[in-house]
Amino acid sequence: MNERLRSIPSVDALLSDDLALPLVEAYPRPLLVEQIRALLDEVRQSQDEAPVQRRDLVATLGRRLAALETPSPRPVVNASGIVLHTNLGRALLAESAIEAVTAVARGACGLEIDLDSGSRGSRDASCSEALVALTGAEDATVVNNNASAVVLAVNSLALGLEVVVSRGELVEIGGSFRIPDIIARSGARLREVGTTNRTHLRDYADAIGPNTGILLKVHPSNYEIGGFTSAVTLPELAKLGRERDVPVVEDLGSGALVDLSRYDLPAEPVVSASVRAGADAVTFSGDKLLGGPQAGMVVGRGEILRRMKTSPLKRALRCDKMTLSALDATLRLYRTSTNLEQVLPTLRYLTRDIDQIAATARAAATSIRERLGDDFEVAVKACESQIGSGAQPTATIPSRAVAIRHPGHSPIAIASHFRAADRPIVGRVSEERFWLDCRCIDDPAQLIPATWPAAAER
Ligand SMILES: *Cc1c(COP(=O)(O)O)cnc(C)c1O
């Protein structure tokens, strides 16, 4: 043990060793010192007894320093079959949106300047105009995500007042977005009405009083209630709101700008329909079905939007130039392109021809089989993709996958091997196999893993 301790160099000795020269030239000294200290501490505490070799120390150091340069989040391949996967970054941007972001990232832009008059302008103006044109609303605004859009709406319209919500719509969307908590944190009080499975118009009507701020309708994005159910429709609720002079807000969640049934996809609520149905404000996400960057939209009546746009919270929740330029480019496609289902990746993947997906799956299967060897069973199989992000949670779209299994390795071990690829490949495990849904795969070469490590290397 003493011999080992004696073999551990000091930080300075290692730094001045010729072996470390390439690292000393490539990285700043404080970083090298920090990393060497940490490494030497680990070596001192380890139970190993053999003397340490400087060559090994430098090699480990080199690997750790290289790892620090790995970008995060890391680009991955989405073979999960969920087109809008929240954990994988949701919508992919259209090429024109990517170009727009790059241009404003690299140079100055007219974010808040009216280039005709030279006077101060509004950063949302262009997106608002597009949203007005696309939804038929009187006005619109944009914040960081739909969660903040809901916070802004509740806080601007119901601060210190009650927000009336059906018990069937008190949803939790992913980890920490829960309607009751969001209402409380927005400075309003939740007034639950109805029951989990049935809420009637009179439940809302009975709850309205001098302390009512808004009536809130929430799209139950990630679940469905079946059986003996009844919910109040938006037109009914909007009529009640008008009669009693209480604003009606709808949190639409995904919120499609075009009717998906036009593309033979499961129908999702369309924003313009909610506007037409009389909602005073509608909130929805930018990176779900819309297919743009993370953002939260509010569209609705002019007077209601004015209250939100002048709130100090609006300033705290405002978007940056990159988000706004990507959103603007995306909305432009909705207005001006004649082949939206080609230029908007979300729609392109959702509407992708099954024969094309099958061809990708066959090509990928051939390469994967070659790479992994004959011990693996690699087959093209039918599977079901999902839209994701709370859009039509129970609806699926027929797709094709490469399904892989091995008599000696669990599907979880196979999944982990694919995630270890240079560009990690994310599939899913089910029915004793590892599945790579090819719906969102443009190039079969993206699905080829490293060779399976020989037993000795594992
Ligand atoms: C997804 C969703 C949200 C949250 O939207 P983000 O853009 O992720 O903040 C809020 N409400 C509903 C109904 C949703 O589906």
Side-chain angles (χ1 to χ4, degrees):
M1 198 62 192
N2 268 343
E3 196 193 338
R4 175 175 170 85
L5 285 178
R6 269 197 305 278
S7 73
I8 299 175
S10 70
V11 173
D12 279 338
L14 198 56
L15 268 175
S16 46
D17 194 307
D18 281 352
L19 286 169
L21 193 62
L23 299 180
V24 169
E25 283 174 346
Y27 294 99
R29 202 170 171 88
L31 176 66
L32 287 165
V33 171
E34 167 206 302
Q35 293 289 317
I36 293 175
R37 276 214 185 104
L39 177 59
L40 296 182
D41 278 350
E42 284 169 40
V43 171
R44 263 182 228 108
Q45 273 152 32
S46 105
Q47 300 299 312
D48 276 354
E49 295 190 358
V52 296
Q53 304 292 331
R54 288 192 182 192
R55 187 171 301 282
D56 296 341
L57 290 176
V58 171
T60 306
L61 199 58
R63 272 198 306 278
R64 289 187 181 184
L65 288 161
L68 284 180
E69 299 200 73
T70 311
S72 177
R74 260 174 91 182
V76 304
V77 179
N78 178 9
S80 68
I82 299 171
V83 177
L84 296 166
H85 197 309
T86 297
N87 302 150
L88 302 182
R90 291 192 186 157
L92 306 190
L93 293 183
E95 282 306 318
S96 61
I98 294 167
E99 280 165 25
V101 174
T102 313
V104 299
R106 193 166 278 138
C109 63
L111 183 62
E112 287 190 356
I113 184 167
D114 178 344
L115 292 172
D116 289 330
S117 66
S119 56
R120 174 101 193 250
S122 144
R123 65 171 60 208
D124 294 356
S126 179
C127 287
S128 297
E129 265 174 49
L131 286 166
V132 163
L134 288 163
T135 65
E138 288 173 15
D139 199 0
T141 193
V142 186
V143 286
N144 272 320
N145 48 36
N146 186 31
S148 36
V150 176
V151 168
L152 180 64
V154 171
N155 179 271
S156 313
L157 307 174
L159 185 63
L161 298 171
E162 287 179 355
V163 175
V164 183
V165 190
S166 159
R167 289 197 169 91
E169 298 175 2
L170 291 174
V171 303
E172 170 181 309
I173 288 127
S176 46
F177 183 92
R178 303 174 116 192
I179 289 293
D181 299 342
I182 291 285
I183 290 172
R185 291 294 175 135
S186 305
R189 290 192 306 279
L190 171 62
R191 176 76 184 263
E192 303 175 25
V193 296
T195 60
T196 304
N197 57 330
R198 289 171 71 84
T199 301
H200 308 287
L201 193 61
R202 62 171 186 277
D203 296 324
Y204 287 97
D206 291 348
I208 296 177
N211 292 324
T212 308
I214 57 173
L215 308 180
L216 177 64
K217 191 158 175 62
V218 183
H219 181 45
S221 303
N222 46 13
Y223 72 98
E224 261 177 25
I225 296 181
F228 184 54
T229 66
S230 159
V232 177
T233 64
L234 181 62
E236 294 169 316
L237 200 61
K239 181 161 172 285
L240 175 67
R242 270 196 308 278
E243 283 165 7
R244 306 287 293 271
D245 200 20
V246 180
V248 173
V249 176
E250 182 172 40
D251 172 12
L252 214 44
S254 212
L257 286 179
V258 292
D259 185 358
L260 292 190
S261 54
R262 198 199 288 175
Y263 302 101
D264 289 330
L265 288 167
E268 257 295 297
V270 182
V271 180
S272 56
S274 292
V275 171
R276 232 178 299 122
D280 294 287
V282 184
T283 75
F284 54 102
S285 292
D287 56 352
K288 292 185 177 174
L289 276 174
L290 195 151
Q294 179 187 302
M297 259 54 68
V298 192
V299 304
R301 270 183 37 223
E303 163 55 17
I304 296 288
L305 264 288
R306 195 193 55 75
R307 286 162 71 182
M308 293 188 215
K309 286 176 151 182
T310 52
S311 157
L313 259 192
K314 170 68 206 329
R315 170 64 180 79
L317 302 173
R318 76 180 185 189
C319 297
D320 75 319
K321 62 177 181 176
M322 291 190 279
T323 300
L324 289 171
S325 61
L327 182 62
D328 184 70
T330 308
L331 295 173
R332 195 179 308 279
L333 290 177
Y334 276 95
R335 294 183 73 192
T336 62
S337 80
T338 51
N339 57 346
L340 193 62
E341 72 285 3
Q342 292 306 318
V343 292
L344 200 65
T346 300
L347 214 45
R348 180 160 61 82
Y349 289 137
L350 287 174
T351 59
R352 199 162 163 213
D353 180 46
I354 188 91
D355 294 333
Q356 220 185 62
I357 303 174
T360 306
R362 281 194 301 273
T366 305
S367 309
I368 293 170
R369 213 175 282 126
E370 268 169 29
R371 181 56 61 88
L372 292 181
D374 291 341
D375 298 347
F376 286 81
E377 183 194 312
V378 180
V380 173
K381 288 187 175 287
C383 67
E384 299 288 329
S385 307
Q386 287 171 39
I387 299 179
S389 278
Q392 290 295 340
T394 54
T396 58
I397 318 169
S399 186
R400 293 290 180 273
V402 181
I404 305 168
R405 70 174 168 185
H406 185 281
H409 305 302
S410 71
I412 289 172
I414 301 174
S416 143
H417 179 69
F418 275 79
R419 278 199 315 278
D422 281 341
R423 183 164 167 200
I425 301 161
V426 181
R428 66 167 183 263
V429 169
S430 89
E431 299 164 33
E432 305 295 311
R433 290 171 201 267
F434 175 59
W435 297 74
L436 296 163
D437 187 323
C438 291
R439 172 169 297 281
C440 302
I441 306 302
D442 292 317
D443 176 3
Q446 293 178 320
L447 291 182
I448 307 174
T451 48
W452 193 269
E457 294 170 42
R458 266 184 277 123

